Amino acid sequence: MISGVVFLDFKKAFDTVDHSLLLTKLEHVGVRGHLLEWFNSYLTNIYQFVYINRILSEQDMIKRGVPQGSILGPLLFLIYINDLGNITDFATTRMYADDTNMTFTACSVEGLRHEMKADIENLKQWLCANKLTLSLL
């Protein structure tokens, strides 16, 4: 058997989560009622500003992203990308926060190439639908 691995590095992963898509995905996994309303409140109408040398910048509304530095940020990101494993026909997908890989196994190099190409096409469509991009090396 021949194996191949694709390591995914989401570009600005935690900063690019679309709030409305995340709320839909939360509802899909069973978050409803007051708890879903709480998450909606947690993610919307948030403003940021900078204060340096007694000068305050203008406030800017945060329209996407999940908080970093808390246990909730990585959890919300995992819920956001959790359906990634459903779009692959051949790969085994492993996710831990924003570290994700797709592992392939086939009997031949040509078979491995076919599997990887097919699932990378699926990945491209999924990235577009979820408003995410990959960092390229």
Side-chain angles (χ1 to χ4, degrees):
M1 298 298 285
I2 300 169
S3 294
V5 181
V6 175
F7 294 92
L8 305 178
D9 181 19
F10 294 103
K11 191 174 190 177
K12 297 187 177 188
F14 290 80
D15 296 330
T16 56
V17 170
D18 181 272
H19 292 164
S20 63
L21 280 173
L22 175 58
L23 290 168
T24 299
K25 290 180 182 215
L26 283 166
E27 190 172 18
H28 182 73
V29 298
V31 176
R32 293 188 176 78
H34 293 299
L35 186 56
L36 187 62
E37 290 173 20
W38 183 88
F39 275 109
N40 186 38
S41 172
Y42 180 72
L43 294 168
T44 57
N45 296 321
I46 299 171
Y47 291 85
Q48 68 180 7
F49 61 90
V50 178
Y51 183 76
I52 300 175
N53 297 327
R54 297 184 180 179
I55 299 173
L56 186 66
S57 72
E58 291 188 30
Q59 293 184 9
D60 194 21
M61 182 184 281
I62 298 174
K63 298 177 182 163
R64 64 184 67 86
V66 292
Q68 298 178 46
S70 71
I71 195 158
L72 201 50
L75 177 63
L76 289 173
F77 185 75
L78 276 175
I79 291 169
Y80 191 74
I81 66 166
N82 192 50
D83 59 344
L84 174 60
N86 298 336
I87 60 102
T88 59
D89 295 322
F90 303 101
T92 300
T93 306
R94 292 176 180 86
M95 297 174 270
Y96 180 76
D98 61 337
D99 295 322
T100 301
N101 69 59
M102 299 165 61
T103 306
F104 300 85
T105 304
C107 295
S108 67
V109 171
E110 191 54 45
L112 184 64
R113 184 179 296 127
H114 166 75
E115 289 181 7
M116 292 177 85
K117 184 177 179 182
D119 276 352
I120 288 172
E121 278 302 315
N122 294 340
L123 172 65
K124 286 166 49 176
Q125 292 175 14
W126 181 89
L127 287 167
C128 184
N130 287 278
K131 302 177 182 179
L132 294 172
T133 56
L134 297 177
S135 297
L136 302 175
L137 299 175

